[in-house]
Amino acid sequence: MARLAQTHGLTDVQQEILSTVRDFVDKEIIPVATELEHRDEYPQQIVDGLKELGLFGLMIPEEYGGLGESLLTYALCVEEIARGWMSVSGIINTHFIVAYMLKQHGTQEQKDHFLPRMAAGDIRGAFSMSEPALGSDVSAITSKAVRDGDEYVLTGQKMWLTNGGTSSLVAVLVRSDEGHPEGTAPHKSMTTFLVEKEPGFGEVRPGLTIPGKIDKMGYKGVDTTELIMDGLRIPADRVLGGVTGRGFYQMMDGVEVGRVNVAARGCGVAQRAFELGVSYAQQRHTFGKQIAQHQAIQFKLAEMATKVEAAHAMMVNAARKKDSGERNDLEAGMAKYLASEYCKEVVEDAFRIHGGYGFSKEYEIERLYREAPMLLIGEGTAEIQKMIIGRRLLEEYRFQG
């Protein structure tokens, strides 16, 4: 096992889970990832393997058929999976954000109905906040829900839905002005709806259309889609938690878990880039010696390894803080920001070490070079993270003049 990115204080169970996942990644993901990615093919066999390992139920409590593991265990598993192929970690992440939101905020009936089937991997989750015109400005969403008897009628367009096609349950954030007087703060008039649908593309239930996959630079294999609601009727008992107006807080709680996940992905991709760089540097010869013996390359390797180690430590800290029941938005924001920036830098250095071959689709580093930028924008851009970090620091260090 490699020296970098070790996590101290893990239980025997955690170590066993991680060892199983690492073995699966080395045998089942790394050998096929680049070929599947170039074809933009959904990794069905890999997903089935993860289902067999019980990974879809990793953080779901045991009473619902899950493993009841911590956010830390989950983040370390994501780190391993992203080391193999980042897209696979995306398939799991959205599922887990929805399961986490159900566990934390769902009614008892909602938990009983969804969580056992989510733990088994029979229901796959996706969540939807963003819209085509607003990007990071979640409070400006225009999708809306209007009450009609025992149902709500949902209308609007959503964007950047990971697992939009393959999922069968989508947590959708919309505006619901019911019971909220004129002038209510925008974030207090939002509601999360649990929308069940058939997997696939086109009209997947009356009033709900998933147009098709968005063609992306990287992060292929996993389907990223739009979601169009036009008179979509949802029963009132599918309001997450049973009460309208709580959606923004529920989603932000889920996104904190998602940010630790994105940090873990950054750590995993950076680790793989380092492995590829350090390995290639010892195989390639110039001027009569391994390029690893040139000081310029050793400096690169030293910087890369330090960044891998630092990002991993911050990610672990953010996960442990959330597990302890404390607020972790500052730590999650810092970990996500640092890990995604460092990931991009480590991948670029590995790419430079490969020289011209880094530009060839035959080499794995070419895929990583296209994947890393997604982490700079997923679950809130670097700029959004810095805003969150800055505001929280000013709360913590308020001037007492």
Side-chain angles (χ1 to χ4, degrees):
M1 193 171 152
R3 170 77 184 268
L4 290 181
Q6 296 297 297
T7 313
H8 299 289
L10 297 180
T11 65
D12 290 346
V13 171
Q14 287 174 312
Q15 286 173 343
E16 193 178 327
I17 290 170
L18 280 175
S19 171
T20 304
V21 172
R22 188 178 300 116
D23 202 40
F24 181 83
V25 168
D26 288 339
K27 288 178 182 164
E28 307 295 334
I29 299 183
I30 288 174
V32 298
T34 296
E35 189 186 333
L36 289 172
E37 197 270 352
H38 286 163
R39 292 206 301 261
D40 197 5
E41 185 178 318
Y42 185 78
Q44 189 60 57
Q45 215 170 331
I46 292 171
V47 170
D48 290 344
L50 294 174
K51 191 174 160 180
E52 270 178 51
L53 290 179
L55 244 67
F56 282 100
L58 192 62
M59 266 178 79
I60 293 173
E62 290 178 19
E63 70 216 69
Y64 300 107
L67 297 177
E69 271 296 331
S70 62
L71 178 59
L72 176 63
T73 310
Y74 170 57
L76 295 173
C77 286
V78 165
E79 184 178 40
E80 289 294 343
I81 291 165
R83 195 184 126 255
W85 184 14
M86 191 179 79
S87 294
V88 179
S89 62
I91 292 168
I92 300 171
N93 178 39
T94 48
H95 176 83
F96 262 104
I97 289 178
V98 179
Y100 174 82
M101 285 165 61
L102 271 162
K103 180 185 83 169
Q104 294 298 104
H105 306 288
T107 64
Q108 195 57 52
E109 184 274 330
Q110 289 166 353
K111 292 181 201 179
D112 293 341
H113 182 75
F114 290 113
L115 288 179
R117 288 185 293 158
M118 291 186 85
D122 297 333
I123 287 182
R124 301 278 166 75
F127 77 105
S128 176
M129 289 193 293
S130 190
E131 293 182 4
L134 58 92
S136 299
D137 187 6
V138 177
S139 65
I141 66 172
T142 58
S143 300
K144 63 174 195 261
V146 177
R147 183 92 191 218
D148 182 19
D150 290 335
E151 295 181 314
Y152 287 86
V153 180
L154 276 57
T155 309
Q157 187 176 359
K158 292 293 190 180
M159 192 71 178
W160 305 121
L161 210 73
T162 301
N163 284 344
T166 43
S167 60
S168 42
L169 173 66
V170 187
V172 182
L173 185 68
V174 299
R175 189 169 299 294
S176 59
D177 296 325
E178 177 202 29
H180 306 291
E182 194 76 29
T184 300
H187 63 278
K188 290 183 177 173
S189 61
M190 292 186 192
T191 300
T192 304
F193 284 88
L194 300 168
V195 177
E196 294 167 88
K197 70 174 188 66
E198 287 299 314
F201 299 98
E203 191 171 20
V204 290
R205 69 175 275 179
L208 179 65
T209 302
I210 307 289
K213 290 202 298 188
I214 295 166
D215 198 15
K216 310 183 295 285
M217 172 175 83
Y219 198 40
K220 292 175 179 284
V222 58
D223 47 293
T224 306
T225 72
E226 294 173 76
L227 178 147
I228 299 166
M229 300 173 289
D230 185 9
L232 170 65
R233 302 188 81 87
I234 301 293
D237 64 6
R238 288 296 170 257
V239 169
L240 180 61
V243 181
T244 61
R246 299 289 303 156
F248 184 80
Y249 303 104
Q250 294 162 347
M251 281 279 178
M252 290 304 111
D253 190 26
V255 165
E256 273 183 29
V257 172
R259 283 184 181 144
V260 173
N261 171 289
V262 173
R265 288 195 230 182
C267 293
V269 174
Q271 272 187 57
R272 185 62 184 157
F274 175 78
E275 288 169 12
L276 295 171
V278 77
S279 170
Y280 186 81
Q282 293 171 81
Q283 295 167 43
R284 179 92 161 102
H285 287 72
T286 62
F287 306 105
K289 58 183 176 183
Q290 291 177 352
I291 63 169
Q293 299 306 314
H294 294 298
Q295 194 177 54
I297 300 297
Q298 287 181 13
F299 281 4
K300 274 198 195 310
L301 293 172
E303 289 167 6
M304 290 159 74
T306 303
K307 287 171 181 174
V308 166
E309 194 73 358
H312 177 83
M314 285 196 81
M315 179 271 290
V316 167
N317 179 52
R320 282 189 159 139
K321 190 130 192 186
K322 186 88 171 171
D323 282 333
S324 72
E326 293 178 76
R327 182 175 175 182
N328 86 330
D329 54 345
L330 178 65
E331 290 76 12
M334 284 180 165
K336 191 271 171 187
Y337 168 58
L338 189 89
S340 56
E341 294 289 341
Y342 275 1
C343 174
K344 176 194 63 131
E345 292 168 16
V346 171
V347 166
E348 182 163 324
D349 278 341
F351 174 81
R352 289 170 188 259
I353 287 169
H354 279 75
Y357 289 107
F359 219 59
S360 162
K361 280 187 175 284
E362 284 181 44
Y363 283 76
E364 196 179 331
I365 193 64
E366 179 270 344
R367 168 171 65 82
L368 269 55
Y369 196 78
R370 286 182 292 103
E371 286 178 342
M374 200 291 284
L375 298 171
L376 300 171
I377 50 174
E379 309 293 10
T381 62
E383 289 71 27
I384 289 288
Q385 305 311 319
K386 286 191 268 190
M387 279 168 57
I388 292 167
I389 293 163
R391 282 177 192 159
R392 286 289 287 115
L393 289 173
L394 288 170
E395 280 177 36
E396 296 285 339
Y397 291 87
R398 188 169 282 116
F399 178 61
Q400 302 292 336

